[in-house]
Amino acid sequence: MGERDVNPSDTNDVIGEYAGATAADAAQALAAARSAFPAWSRATAQVRADVLAKAGAELLARREEIGELLAREEGKTRAEGIGEVLRAGQILQFFAGEAVRLAGEKLPPVRAGVDIDVTREAVGVVGIITPWNFPIAIAAWKIAPALAFGNTVVFKPAELTPATAWEFVDILHRAGVPAGALNLLMGKGPLLGPAIIGGVDALSFTGSVKTGHDVATRAITRMVKLQLEMGGKNPLVVLDDAAIDNAVDCAVKGAFFQTGQRCTASSRLIVTDNIHDRFVSAVQAQMAKLKIDHALKPGTDIGPAVDQRQLDQDLRYLDIGRREGARLTGGEVLKRDTPGFYLAPALFTETHNQMRINIDEIFGPVATIIRVKDYDEALAVANDTEFGLTAGICTTSLKYARHFQAHAQAGLVMINLPTAGLDYHVPFGGRKASSYGPREQGRYAAEFYTTLKTTYISS
Ligand code: NAD
């Protein structure tokens, strides 16, 4: 039975129907990946590099078309969609290079007559489960290193973004990934997730904390190598000495762009007393200028929520915030020319860090202001969260910037920049409930997608 892929900017626009895989399909995909592994893992690094470079070149050449498709099915703006495809192309090309750069080590012997080699090998069959909010970038930063280092893959994209996933896999297949080395399974996570975990050697998951826990619990019973990237409740600290225009820009872009549906979104704006009122008014003034509309309409700054379920979750938290006593600006459901899930960006003021709106990840265009007296309190509040993905600070003080860099409990620190927005070659990941296992992206990806072998050779 086919599932419908609907445009969140215009629910009358059905992008297509996609197949819902069964557990038997999953078993078949796993068997195909298993039998493709010996040949693919033994193919030369040049063969794997060529495939990734070719696929990367096609993605880059088709970035407008695929970026538009992505924007149509996910709801981020056309420019954001194209930017994401560009990044995915760059990731494929980066890992084409990494395939031939994968190095081992020769350690000096401490016993006479032995050589010691430390080498890296492919892990085996890797399961890759991804969310809808970066449907091609996240797929790329997992699948590219998996294939570059000789693993075979069973890939399960999110239910809401099957078209982008299909295009991506099609490009890789036509670029020369052999049959069985990359398998696409579209369909329901609760059905396919456990089936995939049941047959892989390693599993890389990005999604919510709740699903991540379920995945981890199942994976550990089979000792599956595991990498989890989950939620965030990312702080952006704004100090009295911040360059205010830049701080406002960081806050508005970090909190609301891409409809706030980013694990790296700035959801808690922690602001010191003396700049508080000026900063809040300037953010509200910027919010009023944002154009929320169809993702493909020229001039749109922010598209819709991805679906009714996400919009309902956003609205539920707006209610929770009001009931907790916070003051709300924005957050109205908007009507546009086409039926879609449009929500005006929402800012809560007069909040404190123990409110649920400051504890739970909302995953919508909703930010809060937390007023603090000084830097020390700001840092304490920034770190007072179960999450630890990204943390930002806006200040002109080198002393506070460096202190924050050293003491923020997060995997990513942004100084005078939005908390969201990373390049394709850097390690990506967080601490605490945000992440588990080795980092993604860059040369650090080899930690997860290869396994070490130490060999002693007696001469
Ligand atoms: P989700 O957890 O609902 O789904 C993620 C994926 O898991 C989907 O493919 C889904 O089908 C699958 N899934 C669902 N149930 C499963 C199960 N029982 N077993 C295995 N797989 C299952 O998340 P989502 O709504 O698609 O994405 C939003 C979440 O992703 C947010 O929490 C966000 O913070 C997080 N995210 C994190 C990062 C990061 O790198 N830290 C990046 C992007 C998104």
Side-chain angles (χ1 to χ4, degrees), residues 39-210:
W40 182 246
S41 59
R42 282 188 222 119
T44 63
Q46 188 63 54
V47 166
R48 298 197 294 261
D50 288 347
V51 167
L52 292 175
K54 191 169 174 205
E58 180 170 341
L59 258 187
L60 293 176
R62 292 175 61 199
R63 64 177 178 258
E64 301 230 340
E65 171 210 342
I66 297 176
E68 203 165 299
L69 175 68
L70 196 168
R72 193 173 152 218
E73 78 171 347
E74 198 269 353
K76 65 182 66 173
T77 64
R78 187 172 179 277
E80 288 169 335
I82 294 169
E84 189 182 331
V85 177
L86 169 68
R87 179 165 169 192
Q90 290 169 328
I91 290 168
L92 290 185
Q93 303 219 312
F94 177 86
F95 282 107
E98 287 301 280
V100 297
R101 277 193 291 267
L102 185 68
E105 248 191 321
K106 198 159 197 68
L107 292 182
V110 293
R111 284 185 253 156
V114 291
D115 270 350
I116 307 170
D117 285 345
V118 180
T119 49
R120 288 187 180 274
E121 295 179 0
V123 182
V125 176
V126 180
I128 289 177
I129 300 180
T130 56
W132 48 264
N133 69 327
F134 283 100
I136 202 159
I138 294 178
W141 81 50
K142 293 179 191 294
I143 292 172
L147 293 175
F149 304 137
N151 303 280
T152 56
V153 173
V154 175
F155 167 39
K156 206 224 67 76
E159 292 86 324
L160 293 172
T161 48
T164 310
W166 192 92
E167 288 288 356
F168 184 58
V169 170
D170 179 57
I171 288 173
L172 280 160
H173 281 159
R174 284 188 295 94
V177 175
L182 171 60
N183 304 276
L184 174 65
L185 269 185
M186 294 195 285
K188 300 270 181 256
L191 171 74
L192 299 174
I196 293 170
I197 296 164
V200 292
D201 303 302
L203 188 101
S204 182
F205 166 86
T206 299
S208 62
V209 173
K210 186 170 165 295

Side-chain angles (χ1 to χ4, degrees), residues 84-323:
E84 189 182 331
V85 177
L86 169 68
R87 179 165 169 192
Q90 290 169 328
I91 290 168
L92 290 185
Q93 303 219 312
F94 177 86
F95 282 107
E98 287 301 280
V100 297
R101 277 193 291 267
L102 185 68
E105 248 191 321
K106 198 159 197 68
L107 292 182
V110 293
R111 284 185 253 156
V114 291
D115 270 350
I116 307 170
D117 285 345
V118 180
T119 49
R120 288 187 180 274
E121 295 179 0
V123 182
V125 176
V126 180
I128 289 177
I129 300 180
T130 56
W132 48 264
N133 69 327
F134 283 100
I136 202 159
I138 294 178
W141 81 50
K142 293 179 191 294
I143 292 172
L147 293 175
F149 304 137
N151 303 280
T152 56
V153 173
V154 175
F155 167 39
K156 206 224 67 76
E159 292 86 324
L160 293 172
T161 48
T164 310
W166 192 92
E167 288 288 356
F168 184 58
V169 170
D170 179 57
I171 288 173
L172 280 160
H173 281 159
R174 284 188 295 94
V177 175
L182 171 60
N183 304 276
L184 174 65
L185 269 185
M186 294 195 285
K188 300 270 181 256
L191 171 74
L192 299 174
I196 293 170
I197 296 164
V200 292
D201 303 302
L203 188 101
S204 182
F205 166 86
T206 299
S208 62
V209 173
K210 186 170 165 295
T211 312
H213 281 192
D214 188 57
V215 164
T217 310
R218 288 174 196 279
I220 204 66
T221 61
R222 290 194 57 244
M223 299 296 171
V224 167
K225 188 174 183 183
L226 198 55
Q227 178 180 58
L228 306 170
E229 289 298 339
M230 298 167 286
K233 194 72 189 174
N234 308 296
L236 176 71
V237 170
V238 179
L239 297 186
D240 289 347
D241 67 5
I244 189 157
D245 290 348
N246 184 56
V248 170
D249 192 55
C250 289
V252 170
K253 288 198 172 122
F256 305 126
F257 276 54
Q258 213 191 298
T259 324
Q261 295 171 157
R262 297 191 281 203
C263 52
T264 49
S266 320
S267 40
R268 295 181 298 139
L269 308 174
I270 302 167
V271 187
T272 46
D273 257 339
N274 281 339
I275 200 171
H276 177 277
D277 294 356
R278 274 185 303 140
F279 177 78
V280 169
S281 315
V283 168
Q284 288 166 336
Q286 281 304 109
M287 287 167 66
K289 291 187 197 150
L290 294 171
K291 286 181 72 178
I292 295 90
D293 210 327
H294 195 298
L296 297 179
K297 204 170 189 175
T300 294
D301 295 307
I302 297 174
V306 72
D307 66 356
Q308 186 67 51
R309 190 200 50 86
Q310 181 62 52
L311 179 62
D312 289 347
Q313 175 163 312
D314 299 345
L315 294 173
R316 198 163 58 247
Y317 275 100
L318 295 185
D319 264 358
I320 290 171
R322 279 193 211 95
R323 276 190 272 113

Side-chain angles (χ1 to χ4, degrees), residues 448-459:
F448 181 73
Y449 291 102
T450 66
T451 182
L452 286 174
K453 182 176 276 175
T454 307
T455 307
Y456 276 76
I457 309 148
S458 169
S459 49

Side-chain angles (χ1 to χ4, degrees), residues 393-416:
I393 188 167
C394 290
T395 178
T396 49
S397 154
L398 184 61
K399 178 178 133 194
Y400 288 134
R402 298 295 285 187
H403 191 275
F404 190 77
Q405 179 187 8
H407 296 277
Q409 293 164 5
L412 310 158
V413 172
M414 298 296 201
I415 298 172
N416 294 320

